[in-house]
PDB file of all heavy atoms in Angstrom:
ATOM      1  N   PRO A  39      19.680  -5.355  10.440  1.00  0.00           N
ATOM      2  CA  PRO A  39      20.478  -6.138   9.441  1.00  0.00           C
ATOM      3  C   PRO A  39      21.848  -5.407   9.340  1.00  0.00           C
ATOM      4  O   PRO A  39      22.762  -6.160   9.022  1.00  0.00           O
ATOM      5  CB  PRO A  39      19.723  -6.234   8.241  1.00  0.00           C
ATOM      6  CG  PRO A  39      18.846  -5.042   8.107  1.00  0.00           C
ATOM      7  CD  PRO A  39      18.478  -4.783   9.617  1.00  0.00           C
ATOM      8  N   ASP A  40      21.876  -4.103   9.554  1.00  0.00           N
ATOM      9  CA  ASP A  40      23.171  -3.440   9.322  1.00  0.00           C
ATOM     10  C   ASP A  40      24.050  -3.595  10.681  1.00  0.00           C
ATOM     11  O   ASP A  40      25.315  -3.628  10.513  1.00  0.00           O
ATOM     12  CB  ASP A  40      23.076  -2.040   9.041  1.00  0.00           C
ATOM     13  CG  ASP A  40      22.344  -1.734   7.763  1.00  0.00           C
ATOM     14  OD1 ASP A  40      22.594  -2.459   6.710  1.00  0.00           O
ATOM     15  OD2 ASP A  40      21.380  -0.900   7.565  1.00  0.00           O
ATOM     16  N   LYS A  41      23.537  -3.667  11.698  1.00  0.00           N
ATOM     17  CA  LYS A  41      24.180  -3.778  12.966  1.00  0.00           C
ATOM     18  C   LYS A  41      24.508  -5.229  13.356  1.00  0.00           C
ATOM     19  O   LYS A  41      25.458  -5.540  14.058  1.00  0.00           O
ATOM     20  CB  LYS A  41      23.525  -2.988  14.109  1.00  0.00           C
ATOM     21  CG  LYS A  41      23.329  -1.551  13.982  1.00  0.00           C
ATOM     22  CD  LYS A  41      22.647  -0.883  15.095  1.00  0.00           C
ATOM     23  CE  LYS A  41      22.635   0.652  14.795  1.00  0.00           C
ATOM     24  NZ  LYS A  41      21.709   1.211  15.788  1.00  0.00           N
ATOM     25  N   ASP A  42      23.536  -6.084  13.037  1.00  0.00           N
ATOM     26  CA  ASP A  42      23.553  -7.425  13.554  1.00  0.00           C
ATOM     27  C   ASP A  42      23.684  -8.461  12.408  1.00  0.00           C
ATOM     28  O   ASP A  42      22.960  -9.555  12.344  1.00  0.00           O
ATOM     29  CB  ASP A  42      22.206  -7.808  14.273  1.00  0.00           C
ATOM     30  CG  ASP A  42      21.991  -6.792  15.528  1.00  0.00           C
ATOM     31  OD1 ASP A  42      22.920  -6.547  16.193  1.00  0.00           O
ATOM     32  OD2 ASP A  42      20.864  -6.308  15.632  1.00  0.00           O
ATOM     33  N   LYS A  43      24.658  -8.273  11.608  1.00  0.00           N
ATOM     34  CA  LYS A  43      24.848  -8.998  10.322  1.00  0.00           C
ATOM     35  C   LYS A  43      24.988 -10.501  10.647  1.00  0.00           C
ATOM     36  O   LYS A  43      24.587 -11.405  10.033  1.00  0.00           O
ATOM     37  CB  LYS A  43      26.007  -8.550   9.443  1.00  0.00           C
ATOM     38  CG  LYS A  43      25.573  -7.277   8.705  1.00  0.00           C
ATOM     39  CD  LYS A  43      26.837  -6.949   7.745  1.00  0.00           C
ATOM     40  CE  LYS A  43      26.336  -5.495   7.152  1.00  0.00           C
ATOM     41  NZ  LYS A  43      27.348  -5.046   6.186  1.00  0.00           N
ATOM     42  N   GLY A  44      25.808 -10.779  11.804  1.00  0.00           N
ATOM     43  CA  GLY A  44      26.081 -12.178  12.102  1.00  0.00           C
ATOM     44  C   GLY A  44      24.848 -13.021  12.490  1.00  0.00           C
ATOM     45  O   GLY A  44      24.693 -14.113  12.231  1.00  0.00           O
ATOM     46  N   ILE A  45      23.771 -12.318  13.092  1.00  0.00           N
ATOM     47  CA  ILE A  45      22.728 -13.098  13.652  1.00  0.00           C
ATOM     48  C   ILE A  45      21.510 -12.865  12.704  1.00  0.00           C
ATOM     49  O   ILE A  45      20.668 -13.668  12.780  1.00  0.00           O
ATOM     50  CB  ILE A  45      22.415 -12.708  15.031  1.00  0.00           C
ATOM     51  CG1 ILE A  45      21.962 -11.222  15.138  1.00  0.00           C
ATOM     52  CG2 ILE A  45      23.422 -13.015  16.105  1.00  0.00           C
ATOM     53  CD1 ILE A  45      21.194 -10.909  16.503  1.00  0.00           C
ATOM     54  N   PHE A  46      21.516 -11.825  11.889  1.00  0.00           N
ATOM     55  CA  PHE A  46      20.443 -11.559  11.122  1.00  0.00           C
ATOM     56  C   PHE A  46      20.027 -12.698  10.075  1.00  0.00           C
ATOM     57  O   PHE A  46      18.847 -13.176   9.921  1.00  0.00           O
ATOM     58  CB  PHE A  46      20.565 -10.356  10.298  1.00  0.00           C
ATOM     59  CG  PHE A  46      19.299  -9.963   9.560  1.00  0.00           C
ATOM     60  CD1 PHE A  46      18.224  -9.341  10.145  1.00  0.00           C
ATOM     61  CD2 PHE A  46      19.099 -10.281   8.202  1.00  0.00           C
ATOM     62  CE1 PHE A  46      17.052  -9.017   9.558  1.00  0.00           C
ATOM     63  CE2 PHE A  46      17.970  -9.986   7.533  1.00  0.00           C
ATOM     64  CZ  PHE A  46      16.904  -9.395   8.223  1.00  0.00           C
ATOM     65  N   LYS A  47      21.028 -13.167   9.387  1.00  0.00           N
ATOM     66  CA  LYS A  47      20.802 -14.282   8.402  1.00  0.00           C
ATOM     67  C   LYS A  47      19.996 -15.496   8.943  1.00  0.00           C
ATOM     68  O   LYS A  47      19.060 -15.877   8.442  1.00  0.00           O
ATOM     69  CB  LYS A  47      21.976 -14.585   7.644  1.00  0.00           C
ATOM     70  CG  LYS A  47      21.812 -15.143   6.187  1.00  0.00           C
ATOM     71  CD  LYS A  47      23.162 -15.250   5.501  1.00  0.00           C
ATOM     72  CE  LYS A  47      22.824 -15.756   4.078  1.00  0.00           C
ATOM     73  NZ  LYS A  47      24.063 -15.658   3.253  1.00  0.00           N
ATOM     74  N   PRO A  48      20.614 -16.046  10.059  1.00  0.00           N
ATOM     75  CA  PRO A  48      19.957 -17.250  10.550  1.00  0.00           C
ATOM     76  C   PRO A  48      18.623 -17.011  11.103  1.00  0.00           C
ATOM     77  O   PRO A  48      17.505 -17.678  11.031  1.00  0.00           O
ATOM     78  CB  PRO A  48      20.887 -17.749  11.601  1.00  0.00           C
ATOM     79  CG  PRO A  48      21.899 -16.787  11.835  1.00  0.00           C
ATOM     80  CD  PRO A  48      21.851 -15.869  10.575  1.00  0.00           C
ATOM     81  N   LEU A  49      18.476 -15.738  11.693  1.00  0.00           N
ATOM     82  CA  LEU A  49      17.057 -15.338  12.222  1.00  0.00           C
ATOM     83  C   LEU A  49      16.115 -15.129  11.143  1.00  0.00           C
ATOM     84  O   LEU A  49      14.995 -15.538  11.274  1.00  0.00           O
ATOM     85  CB  LEU A  49      17.267 -14.106  13.117  1.00  0.00           C
ATOM     86  CG  LEU A  49      17.701 -14.260  14.453  1.00  0.00           C
ATOM     87  CD1 LEU A  49      17.999 -12.978  15.137  1.00  0.00           C
ATOM     88  CD2 LEU A  49      16.864 -15.269  15.285  1.00  0.00           C
ATOM     89  N   TRP A  50      16.555 -14.545   9.968  1.00  0.00           N
ATOM     90  CA  TRP A  50      15.800 -14.540   8.876  1.00  0.00           C
ATOM     91  C   TRP A  50      15.235 -15.728   8.234  1.00  0.00           C
ATOM     92  O   TRP A  50      14.035 -15.911   7.972  1.00  0.00           O
ATOM     93  CB  TRP A  50      16.371 -13.596   7.708  1.00  0.00           C
ATOM     94  CG  TRP A  50      15.556 -13.499   6.543  1.00  0.00           C
ATOM     95  CD1 TRP A  50      15.512 -14.239   5.423  1.00  0.00           C
ATOM     96  CD2 TRP A  50      14.286 -12.644   6.378  1.00  0.00           C
ATOM     97  NE1 TRP A  50      14.569 -13.941   4.435  1.00  0.00           N
ATOM     98  CE2 TRP A  50      13.824 -12.914   5.110  1.00  0.00           C
ATOM     99  CE3 TRP A  50      13.768 -11.791   7.119  1.00  0.00           C
ATOM    100  CZ2 TRP A  50      12.731 -12.250   4.682  1.00  0.00           C
ATOM    101  CZ3 TRP A  50      12.654 -11.043   6.613  1.00  0.00           C
ATOM    102  CH2 TRP A  50      12.173 -11.384   5.358  1.00  0.00           C
ATOM    103  N   ARG A  51      16.172 -16.758   8.120  1.00  0.00           N
ATOM    104  CA  ARG A  51      15.714 -17.929   7.820  1.00  0.00           C
ATOM    105  C   ARG A  51      14.612 -18.701   8.622  1.00  0.00           C
ATOM    106  O   ARG A  51      13.834 -19.388   8.173  1.00  0.00           O
ATOM    107  CB  ARG A  51      16.909 -18.954   7.676  1.00  0.00           C
ATOM    108  CG  ARG A  51      17.808 -18.789   6.469  1.00  0.00           C
ATOM    109  CD  ARG A  51      18.795 -19.839   6.273  1.00  0.00           C
ATOM    110  NE  ARG A  51      20.008 -19.414   5.633  1.00  0.00           N
ATOM    111  CZ  ARG A  51      21.136 -19.312   5.948  1.00  0.00           C
ATOM    112  NH1 ARG A  51      21.526 -19.825   7.162  1.00  0.00           N
ATOM    113  NH2 ARG A  51      22.131 -18.830   5.282  1.00  0.00           N
ATOM    114  N   ALA A  52      14.880 -18.447   9.996  1.00  0.00           N
ATOM    115  CA  ALA A  52      13.887 -18.994  10.879  1.00  0.00           C
ATOM    116  C   ALA A  52      12.612 -18.277  11.099  1.00  0.00           C
ATOM    117  O   ALA A  52      11.579 -18.837  11.168  1.00  0.00           O
ATOM    118  CB  ALA A  52      14.625 -19.077  12.323  1.00  0.00           C
ATOM    119  N   ASN A  53      12.603 -17.014  10.881  1.00  0.00           N
ATOM    120  CA  ASN A  53      11.536 -16.158  11.270  1.00  0.00           C
ATOM    121  C   ASN A  53      10.970 -15.338   9.995  1.00  0.00           C
ATOM    122  O   ASN A  53      10.050 -14.685  10.145  1.00  0.00           O
ATOM    123  CB  ASN A  53      11.909 -15.318  12.325  1.00  0.00           C
ATOM    124  CG  ASN A  53      12.190 -15.946  13.665  1.00  0.00           C
ATOM    125  OD1 ASN A  53      11.525 -16.868  14.241  1.00  0.00           O
ATOM    126  ND2 ASN A  53      13.414 -15.568  14.093  1.00  0.00           N
ATOM    127  N   GLY A  54      11.656 -15.253   8.851  1.00  0.00           N
ATOM    128  CA  GLY A  54      11.314 -14.444   7.795  1.00  0.00           C
ATOM    129  C   GLY A  54       9.855 -14.545   7.382  1.00  0.00           C
ATOM    130  O   GLY A  54       9.221 -13.488   7.146  1.00  0.00           O
ATOM    131  N   LYS A  55       9.354 -15.819   7.206  1.00  0.00           N
ATOM    132  CA  LYS A  55       8.015 -15.860   6.813  1.00  0.00           C
ATOM    133  C   LYS A  55       6.962 -15.283   7.697  1.00  0.00           C
ATOM    134  O   LYS A  55       6.039 -14.628   7.318  1.00  0.00           O
ATOM    135  CB  LYS A  55       7.620 -17.260   6.454  1.00  0.00           C
ATOM    136  CG  LYS A  55       8.218 -17.898   5.257  1.00  0.00           C
ATOM    137  CD  LYS A  55       7.723 -19.293   4.930  1.00  0.00           C
ATOM    138  CE  LYS A  55       8.392 -19.770   3.691  1.00  0.00           C
ATOM    139  NZ  LYS A  55       7.979 -21.123   3.302  1.00  0.00           N
ATOM    140  N   SER A  56       7.292 -15.554   9.047  1.00  0.00           N
ATOM    141  CA  SER A  56       6.507 -14.979  10.046  1.00  0.00           C
ATOM    142  C   SER A  56       6.424 -13.441  10.093  1.00  0.00           C
ATOM    143  O   SER A  56       5.477 -12.824  10.307  1.00  0.00           O
ATOM    144  CB  SER A  56       6.909 -15.458  11.534  1.00  0.00           C
ATOM    145  OG  SER A  56       6.348 -14.720  12.469  1.00  0.00           O
ATOM    146  N   TRP A  57       7.737 -12.763   9.928  1.00  0.00           N
ATOM    147  CA  TRP A  57       7.817 -11.401   9.913  1.00  0.00           C
ATOM    148  C   TRP A  57       7.078 -10.814   8.651  1.00  0.00           C
ATOM    149  O   TRP A  57       6.353  -9.746   8.757  1.00  0.00           O
ATOM    150  CB  TRP A  57       9.282 -10.975   9.781  1.00  0.00           C
ATOM    151  CG  TRP A  57      10.153 -11.326  11.090  1.00  0.00           C
ATOM    152  CD1 TRP A  57       9.610 -11.605  12.222  1.00  0.00           C
ATOM    153  CD2 TRP A  57      11.480 -11.505  11.140  1.00  0.00           C
ATOM    154  NE1 TRP A  57      10.685 -11.838  13.151  1.00  0.00           N
ATOM    155  CE2 TRP A  57      11.881 -11.817  12.472  1.00  0.00           C
ATOM    156  CE3 TRP A  57      12.497 -11.303  10.108  1.00  0.00           C
ATOM    157  CZ2 TRP A  57      13.109 -11.987  12.906  1.00  0.00           C
ATOM    158  CZ3 TRP A  57      13.865 -11.501  10.552  1.00  0.00           C
ATOM    159  CH2 TRP A  57      14.116 -11.827  11.893  1.00  0.00           C
ATOM    160  N   VAL A  58       7.266 -11.465   7.555  1.00  0.00           N
ATOM    161  CA  VAL A  58       6.366 -11.025   6.350  1.00  0.00           C
ATOM    162  C   VAL A  58       4.932 -10.988   6.648  1.00  0.00           C
ATOM    163  O   VAL A  58       4.284  -9.980   6.371  1.00  0.00           O
ATOM    164  CB  VAL A  58       6.913 -11.800   5.108  1.00  0.00           C
ATOM    165  CG1 VAL A  58       5.857 -11.612   4.001  1.00  0.00           C
ATOM    166  CG2 VAL A  58       8.339 -11.475   4.666  1.00  0.00           C
ATOM    167  N   GLU A  59       4.453 -12.115   7.137  1.00  0.00           N
ATOM    168  CA  GLU A  59       3.125 -12.156   7.430  1.00  0.00           C
ATOM    169  C   GLU A  59       2.597 -11.240   8.514  1.00  0.00           C
ATOM    170  O   GLU A  59       1.451 -10.583   8.333  1.00  0.00           O
ATOM    171  CB  GLU A  59       2.759 -13.639   7.975  1.00  0.00           C
ATOM    172  CG  GLU A  59       2.830 -14.664   6.922  1.00  0.00           C
ATOM    173  CD  GLU A  59       1.762 -14.444   5.881  1.00  0.00           C
ATOM    174  OE1 GLU A  59       0.694 -14.052   5.855  1.00  0.00           O
ATOM    175  OE2 GLU A  59       2.350 -14.505   4.604  1.00  0.00           O
ATOM    176  N   LYS A  60       3.375 -10.866   9.441  1.00  0.00           N
ATOM    177  CA  LYS A  60       3.108  -9.746  10.362  1.00  0.00           C
ATOM    178  C   LYS A  60       2.903  -8.467   9.800  1.00  0.00           C
ATOM    179  O   LYS A  60       2.042  -7.696   9.989  1.00  0.00           O
ATOM    180  CB  LYS A  60       4.033  -9.695  11.588  1.00  0.00           C
ATOM    181  CG  LYS A  60       3.888 -10.830  12.613  1.00  0.00           C
ATOM    182  CD  LYS A  60       4.911 -10.717  13.760  1.00  0.00           C
ATOM    183  CE  LYS A  60       4.786 -11.970  14.521  1.00  0.00           C
ATOM    184  NZ  LYS A  60       5.809 -11.942  15.606  1.00  0.00           N
ATOM    185  N   LEU A  61       3.984  -8.139   8.890  1.00  0.00           N
ATOM    186  CA  LEU A  61       4.022  -6.879   8.088  1.00  0.00           C
ATOM    187  C   LEU A  61       2.736  -6.864   7.265  1.00  0.00           C
ATOM    188  O   LEU A  61       2.071  -5.789   7.270  1.00  0.00           O
ATOM    189  CB  LEU A  61       5.220  -6.774   7.280  1.00  0.00           C
ATOM    190  CG  LEU A  61       5.393  -5.285   6.590  1.00  0.00           C
ATOM    191  CD1 LEU A  61       5.149  -4.227   7.522  1.00  0.00           C
ATOM    192  CD2 LEU A  61       6.704  -5.331   5.943  1.00  0.00           C
ATOM    193  N   LYS A  62       2.404  -7.763   6.567  1.00  0.00           N
ATOM    194  CA  LYS A  62       1.206  -8.020   5.616  1.00  0.00           C
ATOM    195  C   LYS A  62      -0.008  -7.671   6.534  1.00  0.00           C
ATOM    196  O   LYS A  62      -0.919  -6.868   6.019  1.00  0.00           O
ATOM    197  CB  LYS A  62       1.293  -9.275   5.140  1.00  0.00           C
ATOM    198  CG  LYS A  62       0.416  -9.493   3.928  1.00  0.00           C
ATOM    199  CD  LYS A  62       0.501 -10.802   3.251  1.00  0.00           C
ATOM    200  CE  LYS A  62      -0.482 -11.175   2.289  1.00  0.00           C
ATOM    201  NZ  LYS A  62      -0.259 -12.388   1.625  1.00  0.00           N
TER     202      LYS A  62
END
Side-chain angles (χ1 to χ4, degrees):
D40 295 321
K41 294 179 183 173
D42 305 317
K43 286 183 181 181
I45 64 167
F46 184 82
K47 200 170 189 175
L49 283 175
W50 176 258
R51 280 192 207 119
N53 302 306
K55 285 185 180 183
S56 170
W57 293 341
V58 168
E59 287 303 313
K60 285 179 184 177
L61 181 57
K62 191 173 172 182

